[in-house]
Amino acid sequence: MNTTIIYLKKIILSMRTKSRLFAPIGIGIAFSISSCKKLVDVPAPTNSIAENNVYSSDATAISVLTALYSSMNEKTITNPIQGNGSIALHTGMSSDELTLYSGVTDQVYLAYYQNALQVNIPPGSGYNHWAPLYHYVFKSNAAIKGLSASKSLTSAVKQQLLGEAKFMRAFFYYYLVNLYGDVPLAVTTDPQNNSMLARLPKEQVYLQIIADLKDAQELLSADYLNQTLLSSTTERVRPIRWAAAALLARVYLFTEDYAKAETQASTVINNTALYTLPALNDVFLKNSQEAIWQLQPTDIDFNTVEAQTLIIPPTGPSLGTVDNPVYLSNNLLSSFESGDQRAVHGNWVDTTIFNITPTTYDTVAYAYKYKINTSPGITSAADMTEYFMMLRLGEQFLIRAEARTQQNNIVGAQSDLNAIRVRAGLPNTAANDKTSLLAAILHERQVELFSEWGHRWLDLKRTRNVDKVMNVVTPQKASGAPWKSHQQLYPIPLSDLQSSPNLAQNTGY
């Protein structure tokens, strides 16, 4: 194992002792820089490994944020970013998007799928996203603190890293507030203070998210940067100014500030030198022209963890040494219009026919946006063909379409919606007024953004359609069990409630 990884592990162990936002949160997830088979390594340090020296040189300061991105690629049940413990997988099961294989008996999967989450969640079980996301918040807070205090970094490097840290804190809080509602707002690394925080109304948390993203816009580079942060690159694997604008557009949409959502989305869409809408099967390739921000996979022998999770092998869905527990629901598959090329097998959907018994077969359809689930022979990033998508241009067109509709710009909204439809091989939308356009955009988001980042689950909630849809879907998934409206928010783990005297549970749990 090389010295860089050993060095990073010592930094993380030192920081981990201070990372208890609420008592159990520190154990929720760690930066798992444990594999010796890594494609992405940061420069080896040349001085002390003491934590107070992390921000004394460009290379070691850069390594902190690089370690954060690397940890977001880990194939672990406690990783909320991708794979079997991801936000996308769990919210896809909670909504009408994914079907859980009937042979799965795992209580975590069943609870998400049947909308039957409980508060007694074992720490580190992969059952919840609270602890992992707050762990990432702490890492972002620590980076902001260390970078702000540093006097020895190259000015451009310090500025970029500070922008990245603020962007990441906003990113993680966006998911906390949308999964759990009102949440504690921790912006320091003081464990005693953080353990006493009460939940703040989500409106106040959104104000912090917006402030961080505005700061990030000012700090981040307009160009993609290489590992030194001093030269440009074609790799789109670090957040830059346009990523902050893209996330800010989404946040403004969710907070119903439609004029600002349109403005921010337009800054990205109008940057045609960097961003265009490529053909369907080019969208999720590494450094795609649609990619605003991607994660570069770090392990040898496969591209993305997401492909390993979502592609159903010839043996069919399973849970065990290889976990492929879900496939696309009939609710989603029936939502595709006739002629929609996204649903054509081999594009964004594919199928597996597998034996149930030696003489009987079943067929399931699965998300096929990422197509490479095993790649023997990969020895460098140059050998990879797919990176994990964090933010992309297609969403920005749909954000702007909705924002324009809400402002009664019908023609502009139709143009944006049609940009996505035409790429999918569909005719221009027939929707021609505010009500029909909002419904058409919600539908287009369902078939464009499926299996990505929990968009469907969050869209149902913010558009106030969750009760209508889930009143039908939940009984189908849970043998007649009724949907209860409070289930749209996930419960806070009991262990966190017990250790934080000012923390209250979500209603209904």
Side-chain angles (χ1 to χ4, degrees):
M1 186 180 297
N2 69 35
T3 58
T4 298
I5 295 172
I6 295 171
Y7 167 70
L8 284 174
K9 291 178 77 175
K10 289 181 179 179
I11 292 174
I12 291 159
L13 286 171
S14 173
M15 294 174 72
R16 190 181 299 161
T17 62
K18 304 177 184 179
S19 68
R20 308 182 79 82
L21 176 65
F22 308 108
I25 282 178
I27 62 176
I29 185 171
F31 284 167
S32 303
I33 316 296
S34 57
S35 173
C36 294
K37 296 167 59 181
K38 293 292 179 184
L39 295 180
V40 180
D41 286 336
V42 296
T46 57
N47 53 13
S48 170
I49 63 172
E51 184 182 339
N52 61 2
N53 287 330
V54 171
Y55 299 101
S56 64
S57 74
D58 290 352
T60 54
I62 292 169
S63 74
V64 174
L65 272 298
T66 301
L68 189 153
Y69 305 137
S70 179
S71 73
M72 293 164 68
N73 276 305
E74 293 296 327
K75 189 177 182 181
T76 64
I77 194 64
T78 53
N79 182 9
I81 308 304
Q82 53 180 315
N84 286 297
S86 72
I87 291 168
L89 188 79
H90 288 164
T91 58
M93 289 192 291
S94 294
S95 67
D96 60 346
E97 190 169 76
L98 297 176
T99 294
L100 183 66
Y101 171 51
S102 61
V104 172
T105 58
D106 182 272
Q107 294 303 303
V108 173
Y109 290 126
L110 286 168
Y112 277 101
Y113 183 61
Q114 297 177 348
N115 304 112
L117 290 169
Q118 302 296 322
V119 301
N120 192 14
I121 302 169
S125 68
Y127 204 121
N128 76 94
H129 303 290
W130 179 273
L133 287 172
Y134 267 114
H135 185 80
Y136 280 136
V137 166
F138 172 82
K139 297 301 181 186
S140 302
N141 288 343
I144 292 168
K145 178 183 176 182
L147 289 163
S148 298
S150 176
K151 305 297 183 184
S152 56
L153 300 178
T154 302
S155 177
V157 170
K158 177 178 178 177
Q159 179 174 309
Q160 173 67 19
L161 290 175
L162 191 56
E164 290 184 24
K166 289 196 170 190
F167 172 85
M168 294 310 301
R169 182 167 68 184
F171 183 85
F172 299 131
Y173 266 122
Y174 165 82
Y175 282 100
L176 279 165
V177 81
N178 276 286
L179 295 178
Y180 297 98
D182 301 342
V183 296
L185 182 59
V187 293
T188 75
T189 58
D190 182 345
Q192 184 173 0
N193 176 72
N194 289 342
S195 68
M196 300 302 292
L197 292 175
R199 300 171 71 177
L200 284 183
K202 63 181 182 180
E203 293 79 11
Q204 293 186 42
V205 181
Y206 268 124
L207 290 177
Q208 180 64 53
I209 292 171
I210 291 168
D212 278 344
L213 290 174
K214 285 182 174 179
D215 286 348
Q217 276 187 305
E218 295 297 320
L219 293 163
L220 291 169
S221 169
D223 300 313
Y224 291 102
L225 299 173
N226 68 6
Q227 66 272 21
T228 70
L229 302 188
L230 295 173
S231 299
S232 61
T233 181
T234 58
E235 296 283 309
R236 303 181 174 211
V237 296
R238 299 190 87 101
I240 60 171
R241 183 177 305 165
W242 313 109
L247 185 54
L248 197 49
R250 185 194 294 176
V251 168
Y252 281 137
L253 183 72
F254 274 58
T255 56
E256 301 182 358
D257 194 337
Y258 300 118
K260 290 180 180 177
E262 179 183 3
T263 297
Q264 294 297 329
S266 293
T267 64
V268 181
I269 293 169
N270 294 341
N271 188 358
T272 54
L274 277 179
Y275 307 117
T276 59
L277 292 174
L280 288 176
N281 285 331
D282 292 337
V283 172
F284 295 90
L285 298 180
K286 71 174 184 179
N287 305 318
S288 154
Q289 284 295 109
E290 183 156 346
I292 302 169
W293 173 37
Q294 295 177 303
L295 289 182
Q296 180 182 309
T298 56
D299 284 306
I300 293 174
D301 293 337
F302 63 92
N303 282 215
T304 65
V305 175
E306 204 73 349
Q308 289 201 317
T309 303
L310 296 180
I311 294 176
I312 304 299
T315 52
S318 64
L319 188 66
T321 55
V322 177
D323 289 350
N324 304 105
V326 299
Y327 48 91
L328 298 180
S329 71
N330 289 332
N331 289 299
L332 172 61
L333 294 172
S334 64
S335 296
F336 288 102
E337 299 170 52
S338 176
D340 192 330
Q341 295 300 299
R342 290 168 294 202
V344 170
H345 298 314
N347 288 343
W348 286 6
V349 173
D350 211 343
T351 56
T352 291
I353 302 173
F354 61 98
N355 284 90
I356 301 174
T357 70
T359 58
T360 59
Y361 300 87
D362 198 1
T363 303
V364 294
Y366 56 85
Y368 197 49
K369 292 178 173 180
Y370 302 97
K371 306 182 189 310
I372 309 299
N373 62 344
T374 180
S375 300
I378 287 180
T379 59
S380 72
D383 298 326
M384 289 183 168
T385 58
E386 296 174 345
Y387 288 173
F388 181 65
M389 189 73 75
M390 302 292 287
L391 293 167
R392 65 182 178 95
L393 186 63
E395 183 199 357
Q396 296 300 302
F397 275 98
L398 294 172
I399 287 173
R400 193 170 72 174
E402 187 171 342
R404 285 175 163 177
T405 302
Q406 292 288 3
Q407 298 172 89
N408 296 304
N409 180 356
I410 302 303
V411 173
Q414 289 173 322
S415 176
D416 286 337
L417 180 57
N418 290 336
I420 300 301
R421 290 178 59 81
V422 168
R423 177 173 67 176
L426 296 173
N428 288 343
T429 182
N432 59 7
D433 59 26
K434 184 173 182 178
T435 299
S436 62
L437 262 173
L438 288 175
I441 292 164
L442 181 62
H443 168 265
E444 203 66 33
R445 289 178 66 90
Q446 180 183 18
V447 293
E448 173 71 15
L449 302 174
F450 70 91
S451 75
E452 295 180 56
W453 280 108
H455 284 293
R456 176 62 173 171
W457 180 241
L458 304 190
D459 282 345
L460 288 176
K461 295 196 293 180
R462 71 176 178 85
T463 60
R464 302 168 183 84
N465 283 293
V466 66
D467 289 337
K468 176 184 176 181
V469 171
M470 299 310 298
N471 274 329
V472 175
V473 173
T474 298
Q476 296 172 348
K477 299 189 296 182
S479 302
W483 163 258
K484 298 177 182 178
S485 189
H486 75 269
Q487 293 166 330
Q488 64 187 280
L489 292 178
Y490 290 160
I492 298 171
L494 180 62
S495 54
D496 291 273
L497 291 170
Q498 291 173 334
S499 61
S500 303
N502 297 321
L503 192 61
Q505 183 58 274
N506 275 322
T507 300
Y509 292 102

